[in-house]
């Protein structure tokens, strides 16, 4: 009888602990976003441009946070948030992506679940409307982590994702940026876009040389972290070049024990420095705070190596970090119902 009572009490205790662990805590839910970093200054900005960017950034924040407020997962939140920015021609991700040397729009994306450690990534997509959704499908509906090109597109079709004609991604401004770059600099590759020679009346979305990646990281009410990143890559890129975005640990990373990170910048440097994972590793192995770890990697390690850009990050306690070593970075966060959007160095 005593043995049975012991096991009953043990079972009840385990049940109580389990309930405590799964009870949602809405006080810490947090969403952080970025829309690219680079030479983004007031000198290259007009009130119209600034308003346009802030409107979409706020829309993205509200979309993702609404999911978190209702008890939705961090994965759902970051995917929905990134889709808003993929659908906007302001950013170099999805509609409005930059052109390759061959005159195509090639899209990359990645997503990672901090709870399970699972991740999905896609590269060189040309017909999938929302690459971030394709990346999640790879994570949840395949045994793989990364799919590229025609194989990734075939997979997306089989899974019923929205397929569009390649012309959907085209904007005349982006195409003209490619032509001007070819004319002025031959075959030299430049990151995202260059506003030289383009007046504000031609396109209010051109604000200077910039890394146009978009991304989101989130902490949900159940303590789960997630990260998502999406990009159109480099203007005039060749040879099927792929940057850091779909490389897990470089441009995208999430681990419930530490943090979730999404990066934007010169991809080659972020790959070589394994930026996103390095931040998490400093927290796990050296006990750094999120801010200290992010600053160490972005403001010291990357700068020393010549890499430009920034990251957004959130840890398991809802702390936020948004360091960047460039002139500016489209960024914002929302926590406890209060949001903030910024563009320049404060």
């Amino acid at each position: 009888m005593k043995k049975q009572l012991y096991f009953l009490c043990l079972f009840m205790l385990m049940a109580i602990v389990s309930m405590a662990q799964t009870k949602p805590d809405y006080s810490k839910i947090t969403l952080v976003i970025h829309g690219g970093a680079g030479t983004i200054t007031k000198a290259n900005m007009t009130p119209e441009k600034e308003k346009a960017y802030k409107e979409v950034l706020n829309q993205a924040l509200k979309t993702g946070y609404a999911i978190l407020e209702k008890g939705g997962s961090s994965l759902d939140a970051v995917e929905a948030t990134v889709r808003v920015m993929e659908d906007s021609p302001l950013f170099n991700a999805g509609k409005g992506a930059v052109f390759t040397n061959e005159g195509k729009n090639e899209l990359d994306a990645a997503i990672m679940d901090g709870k399970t450690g699972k991740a999905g990534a896609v590269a060189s997509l040309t017909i999938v409307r929302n690459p971030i959704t394709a990346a999640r499908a790879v994570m949840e509906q395949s045994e793989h982590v990364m799919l590229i090109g025609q194989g990734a597109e075939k997979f997306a079709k089989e899974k019923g994702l929205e397929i569009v004609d390649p012309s959907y991604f085209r904007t005349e401004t982006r195409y003209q940026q490619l032509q001007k770059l070819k004319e002025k600099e031959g075959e030299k590759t430049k990151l995202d876009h260059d506003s030289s020679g383009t007046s504000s009346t031609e396109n209010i979305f051109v604000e200077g040389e910039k890394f146009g990646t978009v991304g989101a990281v989130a902490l949900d009410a159940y303590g789960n972290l997630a990260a998502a990143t999406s990009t159109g890559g480099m203007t005039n890129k060749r040879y099927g070049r792929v940057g850091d975005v779909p490389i897990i640990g470089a441009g995208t990373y999430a681990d419930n024990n530490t943090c979730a990170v999404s990066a934007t910048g010169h991809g080659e440097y972020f790959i070589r420095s394994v930026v996103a994972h390095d931040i998490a590793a400093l927290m796990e192995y050296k006990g750094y705070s999120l801010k200290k770890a992010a600053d160490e990697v972005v403001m010291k390690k990357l700068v020393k190596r010549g890499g430009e850009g920034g990251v957004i990050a959130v840890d398991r306690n809802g702390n936020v970090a948004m360091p960047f070593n460039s002139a500016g970075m489209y960024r914002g966060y929302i926590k406890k119902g209060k949001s903030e959007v910024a563009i320049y160095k404060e």
Side-chain angles (χ1 to χ4, degrees):
M1 184 68 179
K2 290 183 178 180
K3 188 175 182 180
Q4 291 177 326
L5 184 61
Y6 169 78
F7 281 111
L8 178 61
C9 290
L10 181 61
F11 175 79
M12 292 177 65
L13 179 61
M14 290 175 65
I16 292 173
V17 171
S18 178
M19 289 177 63
Q21 290 176 337
T22 57
K23 185 178 179 180
D25 179 2
Y26 291 93
S27 67
K28 291 183 179 180
I29 59 173
T30 306
L31 176 66
V32 195
I33 63 173
H34 72 73
T39 311
I40 307 168
T41 64
K42 284 186 177 294
N44 288 323
M45 191 68 71
T46 67
E48 292 79 15
K49 295 177 189 177
E50 189 169 313
K51 180 182 178 182
Y53 275 106
K54 286 186 174 181
E55 283 180 352
V56 178
L57 291 172
N58 278 311
Q59 180 189 353
L61 283 172
K62 291 177 181 178
T63 298
Y65 197 72
I67 292 172
L68 297 174
E69 283 186 308
K70 296 176 182 177
S73 72
S74 53
L75 274 173
D76 287 343
V78 295
E79 180 191 0
T81 300
V82 168
R83 282 176 64 104
V84 171
M85 292 185 280
E86 285 180 337
D87 289 343
S88 169
L90 277 68
F91 303 99
N92 174 24
K95 186 173 182 64
V98 299
F99 282 82
T100 67
N101 178 266
E102 297 178 341
K104 298 179 180 179
N105 305 111
E106 293 182 354
L107 315 171
D108 309 332
I111 193 167
M112 188 166 184
D113 181 0
K115 179 181 179 181
T116 64
K118 292 183 177 181
V122 290
S124 300
L125 299 185
T126 61
I127 60 173
V128 181
R129 174 168 175 164
N130 292 107
I132 195 62
T133 298
R136 185 169 181 180
V138 172
M139 178 181 72
E140 296 180 336
Q141 301 181 51
S142 82
E143 66 271 35
H144 307 299
V145 172
M146 182 187 292
L147 298 179
I148 67 170
Q150 293 182 353
E153 292 173 346
K154 179 180 179 181
F155 173 82
K157 291 178 181 178
E158 291 178 354
K159 300 305 176 182
L161 274 60
E162 185 173 357
I163 303 301
V164 295
D165 186 88
S167 61
Y168 164 81
F169 302 106
R170 177 191 174 101
T171 58
E172 186 60 26
T173 299
R174 296 294 198 194
Y175 185 71
Q176 290 304 319
Q177 288 164 8
L178 173 65
Q179 303 311 310
K180 290 177 182 179
L181 183 56
K182 285 185 173 182
E183 291 173 8
K184 294 184 178 183
E185 301 192 13
E187 295 302 310
K188 181 181 178 182
T189 300
K190 292 199 71 174
L191 293 162
D192 193 355
H193 56 269
D194 185 343
S195 65
S196 59
T198 304
S199 70
S200 60
T201 57
E202 287 178 279
N203 174 29
I204 68 167
F205 308 140
V206 178
E207 70 294 331
E209 188 178 314
K210 172 176 85 70
F211 312 91
T213 302
V214 305
V217 294
L219 172 68
D220 65 30
Y222 295 90
N224 296 317
L225 295 165
T229 320
S230 183
T231 188
M234 305 167 75
T235 298
N236 202 29
K237 66 180 179 180
R238 302 167 70 181
Y239 315 118
R241 179 263 185 186
V242 175
D244 63 303
V245 166
I247 309 298
I248 303 304
T252 309
Y253 191 73
D255 182 349
N256 274 10
N257 293 318
T258 52
C259 62
V261 181
S262 175
T264 173
H266 194 148
E268 279 67 18
Y269 290 91
F270 280 67
I271 293 172
R272 289 192 288 261
S273 299
V274 202
V275 166
H277 181 267
D278 204 22
I279 293 171
L282 285 172
M283 295 178 67
E284 183 171 3
Y285 303 134
K286 285 197 171 184
Y288 282 18
S289 66
L290 177 67
K291 184 181 186 305
K292 184 177 180 180
D295 285 346
E296 178 72 23
V297 176
V298 175
M299 307 307 292
K300 295 181 181 180
K301 182 177 180 179
L302 268 179
V303 170
K304 184 177 180 180
R305 295 184 175 184
E308 184 182 354
V311 305
I312 54 169
V314 61
D315 69 15
R316 60 183 180 179
N317 294 312
N319 295 308
V320 172
M322 301 184 291
F324 57 96
N325 59 40
S326 51
M329 181 171 79
Y330 295 110
R331 62 201 187 276
Y333 73 91
I334 183 166
K335 184 176 181 179
K336 295 182 179 179
K338 297 182 179 180
S339 63
E340 179 179 322
V341 169
I343 298 175
Y344 319 107
K345 282 186 176 180
E346 303 300 331

